[in-house]
Amino acid sequence: MTGAWYPARAVVDTAAISGNVRTLARAAGSAQVMAVVKADAYGHGLLPSARAALAGGATWLGVAQTGEALALRTAGIVEPRVLTWLYAPGAPLADLLVADVDVSLAAPWALDGVVAAARATGRTARVHLKVDTGLGRNGLTGPQLDDLLPALMRAQADGAVVVVGIWSHLAFADTPDHPTVRAQAGVFEQTVAATERAGARLEVRHLANSAAVLRWPSVHYDLVRPGLAVYGLSPIPDQATSAQLGLVPAMTLQAHLATVKLVPAGQGLSYAHQYVTTQDTTVGIVPLGYADGIPRHASGTNQRPGGPVQVGGRRLAVAGRVCMDQFVLDLGPAATDVPGDLVTVFGPGADAEPTAEDWAQTCGTISYEIVTRLGAQVPREYV
């Protein structure tokens, strides 16, 4: 959203994104880095984040949705390889091939669609086989791949496709020494061997997400796919903070107090009065709510503090229910805050402000959700 005034903003530090990619590239060793910029770059903004990741040394970009892959190409990002992987029948496969986008094959039906697009456009489709090695989510099972390989190799011999990669997702990469990581790697390597015996000449094998880039060098292979860590958030918060991993959170969410007023002791705040003032105090209204991506689970009661914020150097918490477009703060009886004062909802934490991980802990979720749910109407400001 540009050209419209809004009482809040998300400041995105593109230098932090570039620096995070450099840190991840060092951890990846000889493997190339695919920066995952799906979901509007985890809420940080697709195009600025993609460019920052490339400046940091990423040589691939990854997106789930086909529209994001096409948007990258339309914006003039033509040098890196781009992979897209989540689509249903009817997806614009021909447009992807014309735009020189690599396409994932995660189901048997997808091969027919890709071959038809290749014939319609006269382009050879670069495909990555997505195999389910144990996550139990999207991807070809072993029997499905066995059945598909003959047709796939015929399509390759005909020039309709070229199999350039095999990939999968880990279920427990963020858990130290979890046996499923090695088990999935074993299935993955067996699948690679079988596909190569069938006639594939792979360019890349990729399995490692952010946590695996940082903790499992044995599964780096030819290419790694960090997502969350590109934006400076720890994928293993129970084990290490962003700072301990050499990462810098790139997003700072800020707003300005809209209303400041005195209320008496015993005043309920917001819907259902889940928070009641215990003394004469000052309250402030922050013009952000669940329509902007502030979790309703961050609502606060007298027994349980809500989502943390920083105002005037003080750590405060949401008081009462988060509403659609606002929430309330109990600023305290001695508050001198005025309308327009800055409220930092979360940031890197360098100045003791709350972080996205702090919000995740309050809401019983993960930092991925905190940043990706930020509403599109909240302006992104790039510095």
Side-chain angles (χ1 to χ4, degrees):
M1 177 174 166
T2 59
W5 184 87
Y6 209 77
R9 63 177 184 168
V11 181
V12 178
D13 183 350
T14 56
I17 293 174
S18 298
N20 294 331
V21 172
R22 283 190 287 272
T23 297
L24 292 161
R26 287 193 294 271
S30 62
Q32 296 184 68
V33 176
M34 174 190 291
V36 177
V37 293
K38 66 177 182 176
D40 196 32
Y42 288 54
H44 292 67
L46 176 66
L47 298 177
S49 298
R51 293 187 177 106
L54 295 172
T59 54
W60 290 69
L61 296 172
V63 293
Q65 302 296 336
T66 60
E68 291 186 312
L70 294 171
L72 290 169
R73 291 299 196 225
T74 300
I77 299 178
V78 297
E79 287 298 325
R81 297 307 321 165
V82 174
L83 173 65
T84 184
W85 57 75
L86 191 61
Y87 54 91
L93 297 174
D95 293 343
L96 294 170
L97 300 193
V98 171
D100 192 27
V101 172
D102 289 21
V103 178
S104 177
L105 295 183
W109 66 263
L111 177 59
D112 292 338
V114 169
V115 168
R119 289 173 177 160
T121 60
R123 303 291 186 101
T124 298
R126 289 171 50 90
V127 299
H128 298 233
L129 298 179
K130 174 65 183 296
V131 292
D132 183 357
T133 56
L135 178 59
R137 202 176 63 175
N138 198 31
L140 294 157
T141 65
Q144 284 180 319
L145 181 60
D146 290 342
D147 292 343
L148 188 67
L149 274 175
L152 181 63
M153 291 300 102
R154 287 195 297 271
Q156 180 168 275
D158 291 342
V161 305
V162 56
V163 182
V164 298
I166 292 184
W167 70 299
S168 189
H169 269 95
L170 293 167
F172 286 92
D174 55 350
T175 304
D177 300 319
H178 201 283
T180 61
V181 176
R182 292 187 177 86
Q184 284 191 254
V187 174
F188 183 73
E189 289 166 9
Q190 292 169 9
T191 303
V192 167
T195 306
E196 289 179 331
R197 284 195 300 270
R201 298 293 179 264
L202 303 175
E203 295 177 14
V204 288
R205 302 161 298 158
H206 45 115
L207 183 60
N209 60 1
S210 288
V213 173
L214 297 164
R215 286 292 187 261
W216 292 91
S218 62
V219 298
H220 287 175
Y221 301 112
D222 311 299
L223 178 67
V224 297
R225 300 188 316 271
L228 186 73
V230 168
Y231 310 100
L233 300 171
S234 173
I236 45 174
D238 294 339
Q239 305 164 46
T241 64
S242 295
Q244 290 168 335
L245 296 171
L247 304 172
V248 178
M251 180 186 289
T252 300
L253 179 59
Q254 299 174 324
H256 296 274
L257 289 174
T259 302
V260 177
K261 62 184 180 181
L262 297 172
V263 299
Q267 173 66 56
L269 302 182
S270 195
Y271 292 121
H273 288 180
Q274 291 183 330
Y275 181 97
V276 179
T277 60
T278 59
Q279 58 187 334
D280 293 351
T281 191
T282 301
V283 298
I285 305 303
V286 181
L288 284 171
Y290 56 76
D292 303 295
I294 302 297
R296 195 168 181 268
H297 280 72
S299 300
T301 69
N302 293 87
Q303 292 74 39
R304 177 185 176 276
V309 304
Q310 187 183 68
V311 181
R314 314 188 314 277
R315 179 74 72 98
L316 302 173
V318 175
R321 283 188 180 170
V322 173
C323 306
M324 183 178 291
D325 45 22
Q326 59 190 284
F327 62 83
V328 185
L329 299 175
D330 185 343
L331 298 169
T336 59
D337 308 285
V338 297
D341 280 358
L342 186 67
V343 178
T344 299
V345 180
F346 60 77
D351 294 320
E353 76 275 13
T355 65
E357 180 58 33
D358 291 331
W359 275 78
Q361 293 294 327
T362 299
C363 298
T365 186
I366 54 178
S367 60
Y368 299 72
E369 183 178 357
I370 299 302
V371 291
T372 58
R373 69 185 294 155
L374 188 64
Q377 71 271 24
V378 178
R380 272 62 165 176
E381 181 177 308
Y382 298 94
V383 300

